[in-house]
Amino acid sequence: MERLSNLNLHKIFLTIIKKQKIGFSLLIVTSCFGAIQQCITPWIMRYIINAMSLVKNEPISIGNSVGLFIGTFAVSEIIIRSQGVFIALVLPKFKSNIKDYFINAVLKKNYGYFLGAMPGSIIQKINDFTSSSERITQIVIYNFFTIILSILLTASLLYSIEPIYSFIVVSWFIIHVITICFRLKKSLPSIQSNNEIHSSICGNLCDLITRIVSVKTFFGTNYELKKLKKDLLNEELSSRRTQLLFEKIKVVQSVFSLLFILGLILHQINGFNIGKYSVGDFVFVFFVTFNLTNYVWFSSFQLTIFSRELGTLKASYDVLKKGEVDPFEANKGCNVGSFLEPNLKLNNLTYAFPLGHKVINDLSLEVNFGEKILLHGNSGSGKSTLAKILVGLYSGFSGEILINEKKLNEFSRNELNQLIILVEQQTMLFNRTIRENICYSNTNYTKESLERALHISGCDNFINSLSNGLDTKIGENGLVLSCGQIQRISIARAVLFNPKILILDESTSGLEKDLEKQVLSNLVTVSNQTLLVISHSKDFLSILPRTINLATQVNNNNVDFYNKGVMSCQN
């Protein structure tokens, strides 16, 4: 998939619409029929009235008249109902395609994108973009397109009565369009500002509810309500400014519409009085004038919605297009089966955070396949940073990371995940069952391999004590589980995945000492797998055969919140 930042909204919509060519063609056809119906109905009325005025002292055929009206009504109903049917068939799929497109694009972004954006805000932007796309599509096809076609057809029919009428109608519509464009241009910045405030509120609410324990523990309810009240006030003022701008411009449109209607009606009355126009002509002009005026005013109302949705669309897209694509997603695959016994080698690895603070400096080490190693270092020394680099979450390092002489940044995301798995200290589980969490994205496991993973991770004891066992729903972020149980489930998932290299980053810190040593001892017995255990504790020296000390070399001129200096290797 091409980078979102390299695409404009026009290209994205065309890409998605092309998937439903026939469906959108049918929507446009029904929109054309709707415009034709708006013009033909008053023209038929003109024909009937003129025919009636020509007949003197002769009975009018009730059957023909009623049949004509019923036929016109039936055609109108068929057009209207077909529009509803095609909307129901096409637009839900359209929304689904948009969501699929952006979810796919977001999931392929680099890890850093998610560090700088609140999950609630990203979710809100995807939903906003989808909903706004649906509304804009309906307005464009069934309002803007229909009114433009109606104006052209009406101008053509009016030309047969009085050519100047065509010029007046088209001129009035052009003036209306100019004021609409002016209104749209002036309102978009205000609408986008309003949407940013709205998105911020949604993101903060999601953040607030996710951390409800902290809110209740630290008496944060009133504090959060005060913050929220301020944001809601800003949203209210922003919405009010936008709406008032719309109303000011509508006054100008009202003046031009009034002049347009009065001009046509007065000219028709004068022409009727001198015998130039028939009763049918007068009725037709009167009917289409008010019909067009109402239609255009409805379009003005729709434009208010269109402007708001367009602002929402652009604001959402500005957030969704940010961030780089995960570099591993663009790499082509290779045969991972050739890496049966992958050795890991780091040559002069150096890494600094975007702000310039160096975390890893000229680090070199070798890890042979099957080794069980303790990566030891003080808290804040950069051990977790190294782990994230090894699994491809952090990029932009200098030096080399080789897996069997192949550079790390040459692997695809799927290949790297098959080779290396990281289990972090604080794993966010899904609000699903224990089974779904342990077997996540793994369709090749057997009952025996699952039981083995449960035993190695120490999950079997506490899961067997649950009434629903593996099918127990764990709640949001493992609400019904302890920290140690969450960590064991995370380890079980990694063991079941059976990677060639398993990295545990303080992943047993929530377990009792005896259980922690038991789980690590179980992992050490796993053959055909490299085990890297990251910890600042020395309790595992007797369990893991090899220790690599990641020492901290403090530089007083370069200390940041995340890392107290520079990490190097001492074997």
Side-chain angles (χ1 to χ4, degrees):
M1 177 181 290
E2 192 174 351
R3 266 186 66 183
L4 280 177
S5 56
N6 293 334
L7 296 173
N8 55 36
L9 290 174
H10 175 72
K11 288 183 179 179
I12 291 174
F13 272 107
L14 280 181
T15 300
I16 296 172
I17 289 173
K18 282 180 181 178
K19 296 179 179 180
Q20 296 175 271
K21 294 178 185 176
I22 297 177
F24 276 95
S25 298
L26 290 172
L27 292 181
I28 292 173
V29 168
T30 56
S31 176
C32 292
F33 283 143
I36 294 170
Q37 180 260 335
Q38 290 285 336
C39 300
I40 294 301
T41 300
W43 190 258
I44 292 174
M45 292 176 61
R46 171 181 177 269
Y47 170 78
I48 294 174
I49 292 172
N50 283 339
M52 291 173 63
S53 64
L54 293 175
V55 175
K56 300 216 177 179
N57 301 322
E58 291 184 19
I60 299 173
S61 173
I62 296 176
N64 291 339
S65 301
V66 172
L68 189 59
F69 274 111
I70 290 177
T72 304
F73 177 80
V75 171
S76 299
E77 280 296 301
I78 290 172
I79 292 171
I80 293 172
R81 300 303 156 232
S82 65
Q83 288 178 354
V85 171
F86 289 130
I87 287 173
L89 292 174
V90 176
L91 290 188
K93 179 65 175 176
F94 177 62
K95 289 174 65 178
S96 177
N97 287 337
I98 289 177
K99 275 193 176 180
D100 179 71
Y101 181 90
F102 278 100
I103 290 172
N104 189 29
V106 167
L107 290 179
K108 289 185 176 180
K109 287 186 180 293
N110 203 4
Y111 180 67
Y113 172 75
F114 301 96
L115 298 178
M118 290 187 292
S121 178
I122 297 174
I123 296 167
Q124 182 68 36
K125 292 304 181 186
I126 293 176
N127 287 329
D128 285 349
F129 192 99
T130 304
S131 299
S132 296
S133 298
E134 179 191 26
R135 295 188 188 103
I136 286 174
T137 301
Q138 288 195 64
I139 290 172
V140 169
I141 293 178
Y142 285 115
N143 191 268
F144 294 167
F145 179 78
T146 303
I147 187 63
I148 291 172
L149 188 58
S150 296
I151 289 290
L152 294 176
L153 289 172
T154 300
S156 300
L157 294 173
L158 286 172
Y159 188 86
S160 64
I161 297 175
E162 180 64 60
I164 192 66
Y165 288 175
S166 298
F167 174 77
I168 293 173
V169 167
V170 173
S171 299
W172 166 74
F173 182 68
I174 290 174
I175 293 172
H176 206 82
V177 169
I178 291 172
T179 56
I180 283 174
C181 292
F182 175 78
R183 187 201 319 178
L184 186 61
K185 183 177 179 181
K186 294 282 286 184
S187 64
L188 271 181
S190 179
I191 291 171
Q192 285 184 270
S193 174
N194 179 260
N195 281 313
E196 288 173 6
I197 296 171
H198 175 71
S199 177
S200 176
I201 291 173
C202 293
N204 288 330
L205 280 174
C206 181
D207 190 51
L208 172 65
I209 294 171
T210 303
R211 290 154 179 82
I212 193 65
V213 174
S214 297
V215 174
K216 290 186 174 294
T217 302
F218 293 97
F219 311 103
T221 303
N222 292 333
Y223 172 76
E224 294 293 343
L225 287 174
K226 286 180 181 178
K227 285 183 61 180
L228 183 61
K229 187 175 181 180
K230 183 179 178 180
D231 291 338
L232 290 173
L233 179 61
N234 289 333
E235 184 182 31
E236 175 188 339
L237 294 174
S238 178
S239 298
R240 187 180 299 163
R241 283 194 298 269
T242 304
Q243 190 61 41
L244 287 175
L245 176 63
F246 286 154
E247 296 307 318
K248 288 177 183 178
I249 299 176
K250 283 180 181 179
V251 172
V252 178
Q253 292 175 320
S254 296
V255 172
F256 280 108
S257 296
L258 179 62
L259 294 175
F260 164 69
I261 294 171
L262 285 176
L264 287 181
I265 292 178
L266 290 175
H267 191 272
Q268 269 290 304
I269 292 174
N270 182 62
F272 179 76
N273 289 335
I274 63 176
K276 183 178 181 180
Y277 304 123
S278 66
V279 177
D281 293 337
F282 179 81
V283 171
F284 175 76
V285 172
F286 185 83
F287 191 94
V288 296
T289 299
F290 276 94
N291 198 25
L292 281 179
T293 304
N294 289 331
Y295 212 171
V296 170
W297 273 117
F298 178 71
S299 296
S300 296
F301 171 73
Q302 290 292 94
L303 180 69
T304 304
I305 300 174
F306 178 84
S307 301
R308 185 183 68 234
E309 298 302 336
L310 185 61
T312 301
L313 198 73
K314 290 187 174 182
S316 299
Y317 181 65
D318 286 343
V319 172
L320 295 173
K321 74 178 182 180
K322 290 178 180 177
E324 299 291 329
V325 176
D326 185 345
F328 295 94
E329 293 286 353
N331 293 338
K332 294 182 179 179
C334 68
N335 183 15
V336 180
S338 61
F339 293 87
L340 295 176
E341 297 183 351
N343 297 317
L344 179 65
K345 187 177 182 180
L346 280 63
N347 292 327
N348 309 114
L349 179 66
T350 299
Y351 180 80
F353 282 122
L355 294 177
H357 301 301
K358 192 175 289 186
V359 189
I360 302 174
N361 183 42
D362 200 27
L363 175 63
S364 297
L365 62 86
E366 293 187 18
V367 177
N368 295 320
F369 179 68
E371 283 195 279
K372 316 298 180 183
I373 300 174
L374 171 63
L375 295 177
H376 179 266
N378 294 330
S379 178
S381 63
K383 304 183 300 298
S384 297
T385 301
L386 176 60
K388 286 184 171 66
I389 291 174
L390 292 177
V391 295
L393 294 179
Y394 287 169
S395 56
F397 57 84
S398 62
E400 285 186 328
I401 300 176
L402 302 173
I403 301 177
N404 277 9
E405 303 307 319
K406 180 176 179 178
K407 293 181 180 180
L408 182 76
N409 52 16
E410 293 178 354
F411 286 90
S412 71
R413 171 57 62 191
N414 287 339
E415 293 166 355
L416 195 58
N417 289 349
Q418 289 179 57
L419 291 173
I420 309 176
I421 292 291
L422 168 65
V423 182
E424 295 187 279
Q425 182 178 18
Q426 295 179 334
T427 301
M428 304 291 283
L429 297 181
F430 295 97
N431 185 11
R432 302 170 189 175
T433 64
I434 294 176
R435 185 191 304 275
E436 288 176 297
N437 274 280
I438 293 177
C439 304
Y440 176 72
S441 185
N442 191 340
T443 58
N444 299 321
Y445 73 92
T446 62
K447 181 180 179 182
E448 292 74 19
S449 62
L450 176 58
E451 291 175 349
R452 172 177 171 271
L454 294 177
H455 173 71
I456 290 174
S457 63
C459 285
D460 46 0
N461 290 333
F462 87 84
I463 290 177
N464 291 335
S465 66
L466 300 173
S467 57
N468 291 323
L470 282 168
D471 297 314
T472 300
K473 196 82 177 288
I474 66 172
E476 186 71 22
N477 295 329
L479 185 66
V480 302
L481 302 175
S482 69
C483 177
Q485 290 171 334
I486 291 174
Q487 288 185 333
R488 280 182 277 172
I489 288 175
S490 302
I491 293 171
R493 176 166 57 189
V495 172
L496 184 63
F497 218 82
N498 195 28
K500 295 297 181 181
I501 302 173
L502 176 60
I503 304 175
L504 303 183
D505 184 7
E506 303 284 2
S507 307
T508 58
S509 59
L511 305 181
E512 299 87 351
K513 289 299 179 185
D514 291 342
L515 182 56
E516 184 179 30
K517 290 181 179 180
Q518 182 60 55
V519 171
L520 284 176
S521 297
N522 292 342
L523 289 168
V524 168
T525 64
V526 177
S527 59
N528 296 319
Q529 186 179 80
T530 300
L531 176 64
L532 301 178
V533 178
I534 295 175
S535 178
H536 62 274
S537 173
K538 295 183 179 181
D539 293 341
F540 313 134
L541 294 175
S542 61
I543 301 174
L544 296 159
R546 182 185 174 192
T547 300
I548 296 177
N549 182 35
L550 302 176
T552 301
Q553 300 171 352
V554 176
N555 180 348
N556 291 327
N557 296 321
N558 190 22
V559 176
D560 62 30
F561 177 80
Y562 302 99
N563 296 278
K564 301 175 181 178
V566 181
M567 183 176 67
S568 63
C569 176
Q570 295 179 1
N571 284 303

